[in-house]
Amino acid sequence: MRILKTVLGILLLSHALCVAQIRLPRLISDGMVLQRDQSLRLWGWASPQEKVSLLFKNEQYKTQADATGKWEMKLSAQPTGGPFELVFRGTNQIKVSNVMFGDVWICAGQSNMVIPMERVKEKYPDDIASANYPEIRLFFVATLTDLQKKRDDFPSGSWKVANPKDVLQFSAVAYFFARNLYEKYHVPIGLINASVGGTPIEAWIGEEGLAKFPELTATLQKNKDSLYVKSLLKQMAAANTPRKSQDKGMSETVPWYSADYIPKGWRRMNVPGYWEDQGIKDFNGVVWYRKEIDVPASMTGVSAKLFLGRIVDADIAYINGKQVGNITYQYPPRRYEIPAGVLKEGKNTLVVRVVNQAGKGGFVPDKNYSLVANGQVLDIKGDWWCKVGEVFPLAKDNGVSFSAQNQPSALFNAMIAPLVSTAAKGFLWYQGESNTGNPEPYRDLLPALVQDWRSRWGQGDLPFFGVQLANFMEVDYLPSESQWAVLREGQLKLLSVPNTALVVTIDLGEWNDIHPLNKKDIGYRLSFAAQKLAYGDQNVVHSGPLLASVTPENGKIRLRFAQAGSGIISKDDEELRWFAVAGADKKFVWAQARIEGKNEIVVWNDAVSAPLYVRYAWADNPENVNFYNKEGLPASPFRTDEPAKR
């Protein structure tokens, strides 16, 4: 009995000591950047009522944990500088080293904000090699959702410094933004990237911020019922029961990727291209591709790279029977490393197994398709052979679709709420693609997000800079309707909120890629907005032309623009493109457009005697826009909803 009491005593003491350990949030860790020039909140956890102290610059700050174990203390405003050490003491001691005081930017959105420098390394090799900026730092928030409540910390995460190795993890847009600011102001920059690909704006707004959206609020309340969510997931699982693969290319005695396989019954297919455009109708399943490549001796015996553009949806690539690459979804570029010894002099066989679940399948056009080794490049586009390995049956649709990361407030609760105690310089927001299916509500949702975040940070009207959707998809050479254009219009509503800016990227997209690679210009344009609105540099032109007024004038319409900078121009000295006008019938036709003075354009079409409405760049992909200001910033697309009046 005495032994038992002793053991229990030891266990209770051990538990007490364990509970008493002070703990810091993941953000407060080595290498962090704290916001300069303002009072700061530092916080953490300990035992209830435990006394906690901080030693910083030979000064001691003291506080006490509350009844729940939460504590916080205020640190007086600090000037730019560092590195410093923070020493926290309770019953234990935690040292936080290499702390800088500078400017902290919250970066959020979907995949175009996520895309790291690694994804664009072929485009920006010199920028990566020269990334020696120890005062530019990143904290990346891993994807996490919570449908029920706001969280107060992250399960993982650490601060990274911009060097040639770690910069590959940095958001490309955020890195170029930070670098441009740092090179001008030499102030440490802390980037906190909380972004998730394929997510809608409503997932990033807190519950209180959605109060004016009854449908979203109703969904949010339903999702708080864990039994309800489990039933949805169960229904989805039942409708998507995994089926055993029947791919002949894998199941035959000699697999189709094998070096010993002798092809029979294959057909020609052009690469790049989609199989639906080349004689295979409305097909979802597995298609195998193969091509023989003659490799010179000079490309053997060394490592090589295989570039397969982009593939819809998934692929496995083989060379001479050896697997050299595999990606499971459509968006990443296929850039496969081939070990030395795989390639041989003479004939080599390249085989690619492509799996497509919906839409057009195959190889995306206008991408890099080549084999590179020892400084030599072999073009692998052109005639390939293909064969169907498996046909997928039509998918069952029971009307149930649920993804936690797409639910109202789910990402706010888990990825933004833990940040709100962190003082910041401002916000960068790059999102919108996932709301193009229903774009009209965006005009209200984006201002609601800004208001929600600002109220939670409690720092007044913190600068908020958004990125407008780039041009994307096929070019339509007739005036047409466009959900992407409606979404861009909704993004323009950001400018109705004080201390905001919108970066126009209508000239930086790629018709065949929702993730355009030119992230440098986007980052730079964001930095221009910061220079003007966050750093007070009044000499910076941070925006392209924005429609200010519309006036009818003798069978024409006169447009006046704000943000004209030194004057509006045709960038290529050709006639301005992508203007359209309509009369009372709202049947739009292309218009002529003439620049008059510094900030005005007159538009007309002789076939429309009384034009009332105007549109500019109102399309998914208004390719090669040429309406800019002299500072090189493009005009935002727009339309006039109301008839032009004198």
Side-chain angles (χ1 to χ4, degrees):
M1 188 69 177
R2 183 178 299 173
I3 294 174
L4 180 59
K5 287 182 178 180
T6 302
V7 171
L8 288 173
I10 292 172
L11 290 174
L12 289 171
L13 177 61
S14 174
H15 176 70
L17 290 174
C18 179
V19 170
Q21 298 288 307
I22 63 168
R23 180 171 64 86
L24 299 174
R26 293 280 183 175
L27 276 172
I28 303 179
S29 55
D30 291 348
M32 76 177 303
V33 179
L34 289 169
Q35 182 58 44
R36 61 181 173 138
D37 299 334
Q38 70 175 67
S39 177
L40 301 174
R41 293 169 60 197
L42 301 176
W43 74 100
W45 301 269
S47 291
Q49 310 301 328
E50 183 175 356
K51 294 180 179 180
V52 180
S53 66
L54 164 65
L55 181 63
F56 173 68
K57 286 185 176 180
N58 296 319
E59 289 190 41
Q60 194 170 58
Y61 300 78
K62 295 182 179 180
T63 189
Q64 187 172 7
D66 63 20
T68 68
K70 179 75 181 287
W71 59 265
E72 68 174 56
M73 61 178 66
K74 285 197 173 181
L75 184 65
S76 57
Q78 301 294 319
T80 303
F84 298 106
E85 183 178 77
L86 306 176
V87 181
F88 296 88
R89 292 193 178 100
T91 55
N92 60 314
Q93 176 175 292
I94 301 175
K95 290 183 180 180
V96 181
S97 304
N98 192 19
V99 176
M100 304 297 297
F101 287 86
D103 290 332
V104 177
W105 290 90
I106 310 298
C107 312
Q110 56 181 107
S111 52
N112 273 304
M113 181 62 85
V114 174
I115 285 176
M117 291 292 288
E118 194 280 333
R119 178 79 74 87
V120 295
K121 63 185 178 182
E122 283 83 20
K123 187 173 181 65
Y124 302 115
D126 294 339
D127 294 289
I128 291 170
S130 63
N132 292 301
Y133 296 90
E135 294 187 352
I136 298 177
R137 302 175 181 188
L138 168 75
F139 186 98
F140 182 76
V141 179
T143 299
L144 191 67
T145 62
D146 199 310
L147 299 172
Q148 280 81 37
K149 64 183 186 304
K150 293 188 284 289
R151 300 199 179 191
D152 56 11
D153 197 11
F154 305 118
S156 62
S158 61
W159 289 88
K160 302 291 184 183
V161 170
N163 56 49
K165 176 186 175 184
D166 289 331
V167 78
L168 294 174
Q169 302 175 42
F170 280 54
S171 158
V173 163
Y175 173 69
F176 286 121
F177 165 83
R179 191 185 72 176
N180 213 34
L181 289 180
Y182 183 82
E183 290 182 340
K184 183 169 185 177
Y185 300 113
H186 299 287
V187 172
I189 302 289
L191 303 168
I192 301 176
N193 187 359
S195 310
V196 180
T199 53
I201 189 172
E202 56 267 28
W204 295 99
I205 304 174
E207 180 175 352
E208 294 81 357
L210 292 175
K212 295 181 180 179
F213 304 92
E215 289 187 9
L216 294 173
T217 299
T219 299
L220 187 152
Q221 295 302 328
K222 285 182 181 179
N223 289 342
K224 288 185 178 182
D225 182 348
S226 58
L227 293 178
Y228 167 76
V229 173
K230 286 179 181 178
S231 69
L232 289 180
L233 295 174
K234 188 175 181 180
Q235 292 176 60
M236 287 178 59
N240 297 282
T241 303
R243 55 186 294 276
K244 185 177 180 180
S245 174
Q246 299 175 8
D247 181 3
K248 294 179 180 179
M250 286 293 196
S251 61
E252 289 188 354
T253 304
V254 180
W256 294 357
Y257 62 81
S258 172
D260 298 325
Y261 172 73
I262 300 174
K264 295 179 181 179
W266 291 59
R267 59 173 288 179
R268 289 186 182 276
M269 184 75 70
N270 190 68
V271 171
Y274 301 107
W275 57 64
E276 278 89 351
D277 296 333
Q278 301 183 68
I280 299 180
K281 183 180 179 181
D282 298 334
F283 174 86
N284 295 324
V286 180
V287 177
W288 290 75
Y289 289 77
R290 62 185 291 121
K291 184 179 182 67
E292 290 186 350
I293 308 167
D294 284 324
V295 176
S298 56
M299 293 181 68
T300 63
V302 296
S303 61
K305 278 190 175 181
L306 175 64
F307 293 91
L308 289 173
R310 278 183 50 234
I311 296 174
V312 183
D313 293 308
D315 70 286
I316 306 175
Y318 306 86
I319 292 181
N320 299 328
K322 296 180 180 179
Q323 182 175 325
V324 295
N326 170 221
I327 288 180
T328 59
Y329 63 112
Q330 65 169 295
Y331 293 116
R334 272 54 174 182
R335 306 167 301 179
Y336 296 142
E337 302 284 342
I338 304 171
V342 173
L343 294 177
K344 60 185 180 180
E345 183 180 0
K347 185 177 73 175
N348 291 255
T349 302
L350 171 59
V351 176
V352 183
R353 178 182 184 262
V354 179
V355 181
N356 176 240
Q357 303 288 347
K360 290 185 176 182
F363 296 78
V364 176
D366 289 348
K367 295 292 182 180
N368 183 8
Y369 293 88
S370 63
L371 182 65
V372 180
N374 207 20
Q376 296 176 262
V377 180
L378 291 180
D379 188 343
I380 60 174
K381 296 191 296 293
D383 277 347
W384 287 52
W385 295 92
C386 78
K387 189 174 183 178
V388 172
E390 181 178 5
V391 180
F392 292 163
L394 292 175
K396 298 177 182 178
D397 184 5
N398 63 354
V400 178
S401 177
F402 184 88
S403 172
Q405 68 181 31
N406 293 343
Q407 300 304 304
S409 299
L411 295 174
F412 175 88
N413 287 342
M415 299 178 66
I416 300 298
L419 300 175
V420 299
S421 294
T422 304
K425 185 72 170 179
F427 305 101
L428 307 183
W429 176 251
Y430 193 171
Q431 189 277 336
E433 295 88 347
S434 290
N435 287 88
T436 54
N438 181 27
E440 286 81 6
Y442 207 89
R443 63 178 57 234
D444 298 317
L445 287 166
L446 183 53
L449 181 142
V450 178
Q451 182 179 353
D452 183 47
W453 288 16
R454 284 177 172 175
S455 67
R456 295 173 191 279
W457 258 263
Q459 292 180 236
D461 290 344
L462 278 176
F464 191 105
F465 309 138
V467 179
Q468 195 180 54
L469 293 184
N471 51 308
F472 175 54
M473 294 183 286
E474 291 84 357
V475 178
D476 194 333
Y477 288 97
L478 291 174
S480 60
E481 300 303 319
S482 163
Q483 290 182 304
W484 278 62
V486 175
L487 198 288
R488 293 187 192 108
E489 182 180 61
Q491 291 174 316
L492 265 178
K493 296 299 180 182
L494 173 65
L495 300 181
S496 66
V497 181
N499 210 23
T500 61
L502 183 67
V503 168
V504 174
T505 66
I506 199 65
D507 57 336
L508 300 179
E510 300 175 27
W511 79 267
N512 59 0
D513 203 329
I514 202 170
H515 304 123
L517 295 180
N518 187 349
K519 294 296 190 275
K520 181 184 285 189
D521 283 336
I522 298 174
Y524 281 10
R525 290 176 186 180
L526 280 167
S527 78
F528 299 155
Q531 290 170 42
K532 183 69 173 281
L533 298 178
Y535 295 89
D537 191 338
Q538 298 306 310
N539 294 320
V540 172
V541 175
H542 74 287
S543 171
L546 298 171
L547 182 66
S549 67
V550 183
T551 307
E553 192 174 276
N554 301 322
K556 300 177 182 179
I557 294 181
R558 182 174 295 274
L559 308 172
R560 186 172 287 107
F561 294 88
Q563 301 295 342
S566 303
I568 57 180
I569 61 170
S570 165
K571 189 176 183 181
D572 56 11
D573 294 324
E574 294 188 358
E575 292 183 1
L576 292 177
R577 294 184 284 270
W578 296 104
F579 280 90
V581 295
D585 59 4
K586 291 190 176 182
K587 294 181 179 179
F588 283 88
V589 294
W590 295 127
Q592 292 177 268
R594 181 178 65 240
I595 296 172
E596 293 192 354
K598 179 181 176 181
N599 68 336
E600 295 184 346
I601 292 176
V602 175
V603 296
W604 75 96
N605 184 304
D606 291 337
V608 182
S609 59
L612 296 175
Y613 302 94
V614 185
R615 289 179 175 179
Y616 168 67
W618 192 263
D620 296 334
N621 183 8
E623 191 175 59
N624 293 324
V625 294
N626 60 353
F627 175 21
Y628 287 69
N629 57 25
K630 289 182 179 179
E631 283 70 21
L633 297 175
S636 171
F638 65 84
R639 67 174 170 178
T640 59
D641 286 332
E642 299 296 326
K645 297 179 181 179
R646 286 189 179 276

